[in-house]
Structures are given as C-alpha cells and as structure tokens.
Short mmCIF file of all heavy atoms in Angstrom, two decimals:
data_model
loop_
_atom_site.label_atom_id
_atom_site.label_comp_id
_atom_site.label_asym_id
_atom_site.label_seq_id
_atom_site.Cartn_x
_atom_site.Cartn_y
_atom_site.Cartn_z
N GLY A 136 116.60 82.22 109.80
CA GLY A 136 118.01 82.40 109.55
C GLY A 136 118.24 82.74 108.09
O GLY A 136 117.42 82.42 107.23
N ILE A 137 119.36 83.39 107.82
CA ILE A 137 119.69 83.75 106.45
C ILE A 137 121.19 83.61 106.26
O ILE A 137 121.99 84.04 107.09
CB ILE A 137 119.20 85.18 106.12
CG1 ILE A 137 119.39 85.48 104.64
CG2 ILE A 137 119.87 86.22 107.01
CD1 ILE A 137 118.62 86.72 104.18
N THR A 138 121.57 82.97 105.16
CA THR A 138 122.99 82.77 104.87
C THR A 138 123.58 84.04 104.26
O THR A 138 122.87 84.99 103.93
CB THR A 138 123.18 81.62 103.89
OG1 THR A 138 122.63 82.01 102.61
CG2 THR A 138 122.50 80.35 104.38
N SER A 139 124.90 84.02 104.10
CA SER A 139 125.56 85.17 103.49
C SER A 139 125.06 85.39 102.07
O SER A 139 125.02 86.52 101.58
CB SER A 139 127.08 84.98 103.50
OG SER A 139 127.43 83.79 102.81
N GLY A 140 124.63 84.32 101.42
CA GLY A 140 124.14 84.43 100.05
C GLY A 140 122.67 84.75 99.95
O GLY A 140 122.14 84.92 98.84
N GLY A 141 122.00 84.83 101.09
CA GLY A 141 120.60 85.22 101.10
C GLY A 141 119.60 84.08 101.17
O GLY A 141 118.39 84.33 101.12
N SER A 142 120.05 82.86 101.34
CA SER A 142 119.12 81.75 101.50
C SER A 142 118.54 81.78 102.91
O SER A 142 119.28 81.95 103.88
CB SER A 142 119.82 80.42 101.26
OG SER A 142 120.27 80.33 99.92
N ALA A 143 117.23 81.61 103.00
CA ALA A 143 116.54 81.76 104.28
C ALA A 143 115.88 80.46 104.71
O ALA A 143 115.51 79.63 103.87
CB ALA A 143 115.49 82.87 104.20
N ASN A 144 115.76 80.29 106.00
CA ASN A 144 114.98 79.19 106.56
C ASN A 144 114.15 79.73 107.71
O ASN A 144 114.53 80.73 108.34
CB ASN A 144 115.87 78.03 107.01
CG ASN A 144 116.82 78.40 108.13
OD1 ASN A 144 117.79 79.09 107.90
ND2 ASN A 144 116.51 77.96 109.35
N TYR A 145 113.04 79.06 107.99
CA TYR A 145 112.09 79.55 108.97
C TYR A 145 111.58 78.44 109.86
O TYR A 145 111.47 77.29 109.44
CB TYR A 145 110.88 80.19 108.26
CG TYR A 145 111.22 81.36 107.39
CD1 TYR A 145 111.50 81.19 106.04
CD2 TYR A 145 111.27 82.65 107.92
CE1 TYR A 145 111.83 82.27 105.24
CE2 TYR A 145 111.60 83.73 107.12
CZ TYR A 145 111.88 83.54 105.79
OH TYR A 145 112.20 84.61 104.98
N ALA A 146 111.21 78.82 111.08
CA ALA A 146 110.48 77.91 111.93
C ALA A 146 109.11 77.68 111.32
O ALA A 146 108.54 78.59 110.69
CB ALA A 146 110.35 78.49 113.34
N ASP A 147 108.57 76.49 111.48
CA ASP A 147 107.26 76.17 110.90
C ASP A 147 106.19 77.14 111.36
O ASP A 147 105.28 77.49 110.60
CB ASP A 147 106.86 74.75 111.27
CG ASP A 147 107.66 73.70 110.53
OD1 ASP A 147 108.31 74.03 109.51
OD2 ASP A 147 107.65 72.53 110.95
N SER A 148 106.31 77.61 112.58
CA SER A 148 105.27 78.46 113.16
C SER A 148 105.19 79.84 112.51
O SER A 148 104.19 80.54 112.68
CB SER A 148 105.52 78.63 114.66
OG SER A 148 106.77 79.23 114.90
N VAL A 149 106.24 80.24 111.79
CA VAL A 149 106.24 81.58 111.19
C VAL A 149 106.27 81.56 109.68
O VAL A 149 106.21 82.63 109.04
CB VAL A 149 107.41 82.44 111.72
CG1 VAL A 149 107.41 82.47 113.25
CG2 VAL A 149 108.74 81.94 111.19
N LYS A 150 106.35 80.39 109.09
CA LYS A 150 106.39 80.31 107.63
C LYS A 150 105.16 80.95 107.02
O LYS A 150 104.04 80.71 107.46
CB LYS A 150 106.50 78.84 107.19
CG LYS A 150 107.87 78.24 107.35
CD LYS A 150 107.90 76.79 106.89
CE LYS A 150 109.28 76.19 107.07
NZ LYS A 150 109.33 74.75 106.69
N GLY A 151 105.40 81.77 106.01
CA GLY A 151 104.31 82.46 105.35
C GLY A 151 103.92 83.76 106.01
O GLY A 151 103.14 84.54 105.44
N ARG A 152 104.44 84.01 107.22
CA ARG A 152 104.10 85.26 107.93
C ARG A 152 105.32 86.15 108.13
O ARG A 152 105.19 87.38 108.09
CB ARG A 152 103.48 84.93 109.29
CG ARG A 152 102.21 84.12 109.23
CD ARG A 152 101.55 84.01 110.60
NE ARG A 152 102.37 83.35 111.58
CZ ARG A 152 102.75 83.89 112.73
NH1 ARG A 152 102.39 85.12 113.05
NH2 ARG A 152 103.50 83.20 113.58
N PHE A 153 106.46 85.55 108.36
CA PHE A 153 107.69 86.31 108.62
C PHE A 153 108.63 86.19 107.43
O PHE A 153 108.69 85.16 106.76
CB PHE A 153 108.41 85.79 109.86
CG PHE A 153 107.71 86.03 111.17
CD1 PHE A 153 106.42 86.53 111.24
CD2 PHE A 153 108.37 85.74 112.36
CE1 PHE A 153 105.79 86.74 112.44
CE2 PHE A 153 107.75 85.95 113.58
CZ PHE A 153 106.46 86.45 113.62
N THR A 154 109.39 87.26 107.20
CA THR A 154 110.40 87.25 106.15
C THR A 154 111.69 87.85 106.69
O THR A 154 111.69 88.97 107.21
CB THR A 154 109.94 88.07 104.94
OG1 THR A 154 108.70 87.55 104.45
CG2 THR A 154 110.98 88.01 103.82
N ILE A 155 112.77 87.09 106.54
CA ILE A 155 114.08 87.58 106.93
C ILE A 155 114.81 88.08 105.70
O ILE A 155 114.69 87.49 104.62
CB ILE A 155 114.89 86.49 107.67
CG1 ILE A 155 116.17 87.08 108.28
CG2 ILE A 155 115.19 85.31 106.76
CD1 ILE A 155 116.89 86.10 109.20
N SER A 156 115.53 89.16 105.85
CA SER A 156 116.30 89.70 104.73
C SER A 156 117.54 90.40 105.29
O SER A 156 117.65 90.62 106.49
CB SER A 156 115.46 90.68 103.91
OG SER A 156 115.07 91.79 104.69
N ARG A 157 118.45 90.71 104.40
CA ARG A 157 119.67 91.38 104.84
C ARG A 157 120.11 92.40 103.81
O ARG A 157 119.86 92.25 102.63
CB ARG A 157 120.78 90.37 105.10
CG ARG A 157 121.25 89.61 103.88
CD ARG A 157 122.17 88.44 104.29
NE ARG A 157 123.39 88.91 104.92
CZ ARG A 157 124.15 88.15 105.71
NH1 ARG A 157 123.81 86.90 105.97
NH2 ARG A 157 125.24 88.64 106.25
N ASP A 158 120.78 93.43 104.30
CA ASP A 158 121.37 94.44 103.46
C ASP A 158 122.85 94.50 103.84
O ASP A 158 123.21 95.12 104.85
CB ASP A 158 120.68 95.80 103.68
CG ASP A 158 121.18 96.88 102.75
OD1 ASP A 158 122.32 96.76 102.24
OD2 ASP A 158 120.45 97.84 102.52
N ASN A 159 123.68 93.86 103.07
CA ASN A 159 125.10 93.78 103.42
C ASN A 159 125.77 95.15 103.38
O ASN A 159 126.73 95.40 104.11
CB ASN A 159 125.82 92.81 102.49
CG ASN A 159 125.44 91.36 102.76
OD1 ASN A 159 124.89 91.04 103.83
ND2 ASN A 159 125.70 90.49 101.81
N ALA A 160 125.28 96.04 102.53
CA ALA A 160 125.87 97.38 102.46
C ALA A 160 125.64 98.15 103.75
O ALA A 160 126.44 99.03 104.11
CB ALA A 160 125.30 98.14 101.28
N LYS A 161 124.55 97.83 104.44
CA LYS A 161 124.22 98.51 105.69
C LYS A 161 124.53 97.67 106.92
O LYS A 161 124.23 98.08 108.04
CB LYS A 161 122.74 98.90 105.70
CG LYS A 161 122.34 99.91 104.63
CD LYS A 161 120.86 100.26 104.73
CE LYS A 161 120.48 101.30 103.69
NZ LYS A 161 119.03 101.67 103.77
N ASN A 162 125.09 96.48 106.71
CA ASN A 162 125.37 95.58 107.84
C ASN A 162 124.13 95.37 108.70
O ASN A 162 124.21 95.41 109.94
CB ASN A 162 126.53 96.13 108.70
CG ASN A 162 127.89 95.84 108.11
OD1 ASN A 162 127.99 95.39 106.97
ND2 ASN A 162 128.93 96.09 108.86
N THR A 163 123.02 95.16 108.07
CA THR A 163 121.75 95.06 108.79
C THR A 163 120.95 93.86 108.31
O THR A 163 120.91 93.58 107.10
CB THR A 163 120.92 96.34 108.62
OG1 THR A 163 121.68 97.46 109.10
CG2 THR A 163 119.63 96.26 109.41
N VAL A 164 120.34 93.17 109.25
CA VAL A 164 119.43 92.09 108.93
C VAL A 164 118.05 92.48 109.48
O VAL A 164 117.95 93.12 110.53
CB VAL A 164 119.92 90.75 109.50
CG1 VAL A 164 120.01 90.78 111.02
CG2 VAL A 164 119.04 89.60 109.05
N TYR A 165 117.02 92.11 108.76
CA TYR A 165 115.66 92.49 109.10
C TYR A 165 114.79 91.26 109.32
O TYR A 165 115.05 90.19 108.77
CB TYR A 165 115.05 93.33 107.97
CG TYR A 165 115.85 94.55 107.60
CD1 TYR A 165 116.74 94.52 106.52
CD2 TYR A 165 115.72 95.74 108.31
CE1 TYR A 165 117.48 95.64 106.17
CE2 TYR A 165 116.46 96.86 107.97
CZ TYR A 165 117.33 96.81 106.90
OH TYR A 165 118.07 97.92 106.55
N LEU A 166 113.74 91.47 110.08
CA LEU A 166 112.70 90.45 110.22
C LEU A 166 111.36 91.15 110.07
O LEU A 166 110.93 91.88 110.95
CB LEU A 166 112.79 89.73 111.56
CG LEU A 166 111.81 88.55 111.71
CD1 LEU A 166 112.19 87.41 110.75
CD2 LEU A 166 111.78 88.04 113.15
N GLN A 167 110.74 90.95 108.91
CA GLN A 167 109.40 91.49 108.68
C GLN A 167 108.40 90.49 109.25
O GLN A 167 108.38 89.32 108.83
CB GLN A 167 109.16 91.69 107.19
CG GLN A 167 107.78 92.23 106.86
CD GLN A 167 107.54 93.63 107.38
OE1 GLN A 167 108.41 94.49 107.26
NE2 GLN A 167 106.37 93.86 107.96
N MET A 168 107.60 90.96 110.18
CA MET A 168 106.64 90.10 110.89
C MET A 168 105.24 90.56 110.55
O MET A 168 104.83 91.66 110.93
CB MET A 168 106.89 90.19 112.40
CG MET A 168 108.37 90.00 112.77
SD MET A 168 108.74 90.50 114.46
CE MET A 168 107.93 89.19 115.36
N ASN A 169 104.51 89.73 109.83
CA ASN A 169 103.14 90.04 109.44
C ASN A 169 102.17 89.06 110.10
O ASN A 169 102.56 88.00 110.56
CB ASN A 169 102.98 89.98 107.93
CG ASN A 169 103.84 90.99 107.20
OD1 ASN A 169 104.11 92.08 107.70
ND2 ASN A 169 104.26 90.64 105.99
N SER A 170 100.90 89.44 110.10
CA SER A 170 99.85 88.58 110.67
C SER A 170 100.25 88.08 112.05
O SER A 170 100.15 86.88 112.35
CB SER A 170 99.58 87.39 109.74
OG SER A 170 99.19 87.84 108.46
N LEU A 171 100.68 89.00 112.87
CA LEU A 171 101.19 88.62 114.19
C LEU A 171 100.09 88.03 115.06
O LEU A 171 98.92 88.42 114.98
CB LEU A 171 101.82 89.83 114.87
CG LEU A 171 103.24 90.16 114.37
CD1 LEU A 171 103.61 91.59 114.70
CD2 LEU A 171 104.24 89.20 114.96
N LYS A 172 100.50 87.06 115.88
CA LYS A 172 99.60 86.37 116.79
C LYS A 172 100.06 86.59 118.23
O LYS A 172 101.25 86.82 118.47
CB LYS A 172 99.62 84.87 116.48
CG LYS A 172 99.28 84.51 115.06
CD LYS A 172 99.42 83.01 114.83
CE LYS A 172 99.11 82.63 113.40
NZ LYS A 172 99.25 81.16 113.17
N PRO A 173 99.15 86.48 119.18
CA PRO A 173 99.58 86.63 120.58
C PRO A 173 100.71 85.68 120.97
O PRO A 173 101.58 86.05 121.77
CB PRO A 173 98.29 86.33 121.36
CG PRO A 173 97.20 86.75 120.43
CD PRO A 173 97.68 86.39 119.06
N GLU A 174 100.74 84.50 120.37
CA GLU A 174 101.81 83.55 120.70
C GLU A 174 103.16 83.94 120.12
O GLU A 174 104.16 83.30 120.42
CB GLU A 174 101.43 82.14 120.23
CG GLU A 174 100.99 82.03 118.80
CD GLU A 174 99.47 82.06 118.65
OE1 GLU A 174 98.82 82.89 119.34
OE2 GLU A 174 98.94 81.26 117.85
N ASP A 175 103.21 85.00 119.30
CA ASP A 175 104.50 85.52 118.83
C ASP A 175 105.15 86.43 119.88
O ASP A 175 106.30 86.84 119.70
CB ASP A 175 104.32 86.32 117.55
CG ASP A 175 103.85 85.47 116.38
OD1 ASP A 175 104.33 84.33 116.24
OD2 ASP A 175 102.99 85.96 115.61
N THR A 176 104.41 86.74 120.94
CA THR A 176 104.96 87.59 121.98
C THR A 176 106.21 86.97 122.57
O THR A 176 106.20 85.81 123.01
CB THR A 176 103.92 87.81 123.09
OG1 THR A 176 102.81 88.54 122.55
CG2 THR A 176 104.51 88.59 124.26
N ALA A 177 107.31 87.72 122.56
CA ALA A 177 108.60 87.21 123.02
C ALA A 177 109.62 88.32 122.94
O ALA A 177 109.37 89.38 122.36
CB ALA A 177 109.06 86.03 122.17
N VAL A 178 110.78 88.06 123.50
CA VAL A 178 111.94 88.89 123.22
C VAL A 178 112.65 88.27 122.02
O VAL A 178 112.90 87.06 122.00
CB VAL A 178 112.90 88.97 124.43
CG1 VAL A 178 114.13 89.81 124.07
CG2 VAL A 178 112.17 89.57 125.64
N TYR A 179 112.96 89.09 121.05
CA TYR A 179 113.61 88.63 119.84
C TYR A 179 115.07 89.06 119.83
O TYR A 179 115.38 90.24 120.05
CB TYR A 179 112.87 89.17 118.61
CG TYR A 179 111.57 88.46 118.37
CD1 TYR A 179 110.45 88.73 119.16
CD2 TYR A 179 111.44 87.49 117.38
CE1 TYR A 179 109.26 88.06 118.98
CE2 TYR A 179 110.25 86.81 117.18
CZ TYR A 179 109.16 87.11 117.98
OH TYR A 179 107.98 86.44 117.80
N TYR A 180 115.93 88.08 119.57
CA TYR A 180 117.36 88.30 119.60
C TYR A 180 117.98 88.06 118.23
O TYR A 180 117.63 87.11 117.53
CB TYR A 180 118.04 87.35 120.59
CG TYR A 180 117.65 87.56 122.04
CD1 TYR A 180 116.59 86.86 122.59
CD2 TYR A 180 118.36 88.44 122.85
CE1 TYR A 180 116.22 87.04 123.92
CE2 TYR A 180 118.01 88.61 124.19
CZ TYR A 180 116.94 87.91 124.69
OH TYR A 180 116.60 88.08 126.01
N CYS A 181 118.93 88.89 117.91
CA CYS A 181 119.74 88.72 116.70
C CYS A 181 120.97 87.90 117.07
O CYS A 181 121.53 88.05 118.17
CB CYS A 181 120.14 90.10 116.20
SG CYS A 181 121.06 90.13 114.66
N HIS A 182 121.39 87.04 116.16
CA HIS A 182 122.50 86.14 116.46
C HIS A 182 123.40 85.94 115.25
O HIS A 182 122.93 85.92 114.10
CB HIS A 182 121.96 84.77 116.89
CG HIS A 182 123.01 83.71 117.00
ND1 HIS A 182 123.31 82.85 115.95
CD2 HIS A 182 123.85 83.37 118.01
CE1 HIS A 182 124.28 82.04 116.32
NE2 HIS A 182 124.61 82.32 117.57
N THR A 183 124.68 85.80 115.53
CA THR A 183 125.61 85.31 114.52
C THR A 183 126.70 84.54 115.25
O THR A 183 126.80 84.55 116.47
CB THR A 183 126.20 86.45 113.67
OG1 THR A 183 126.87 85.89 112.53
CG2 THR A 183 127.19 87.29 114.46
#
C-alpha cells in the first residue's frame, strides 16, 4: 500500500522484492515485482 504522501507498507512475504510507487501526475500506481517466486502466482488487484 502507498499513502497519498508516498509512504509505503508491504506484506512480509514481498519485502525486499516488491516496490510500490505512484505518479500523481499520471494518476497511476505501480508495483515493481522482482525476484519473483512461484508462490507469487495470483491475480493482482488495484484498490482504493
């Protein structure tokens, strides 16, 4: 998750591998997923 001010929090399982960021000018939020594991397989949903 990421606040309007850019503070982020992560599930323990993805800490150090995933990075959430946002570009308010583009109304877009990103999730950079690195070092992916088979257990990361899922449908990923954006929420507000």
Side-chain angles (χ1 to χ4, degrees):
I137 187 166
T138 67
S139 58
S142 296
N144 63 286
Y145 299 92
D147 288 343
S148 60
V149 307
K150 284 180 180 177
R152 300 188 298 123
F153 291 9
T154 302
I155 189 170
S156 62
R157 64 191 296 159
D158 185 336
N159 289 343
K161 296 181 178 180
N162 280 10
T163 302
V164 62
Y165 304 97
L166 186 67
Q167 179 66 43
M168 311 166 71
N169 298 329
S170 302
L171 282 160
K172 304 176 181 180
E174 51 264 43
D175 295 320
T176 295
V178 178
Y179 285 76
Y180 295 91
C181 184
H182 170 267
T183 193

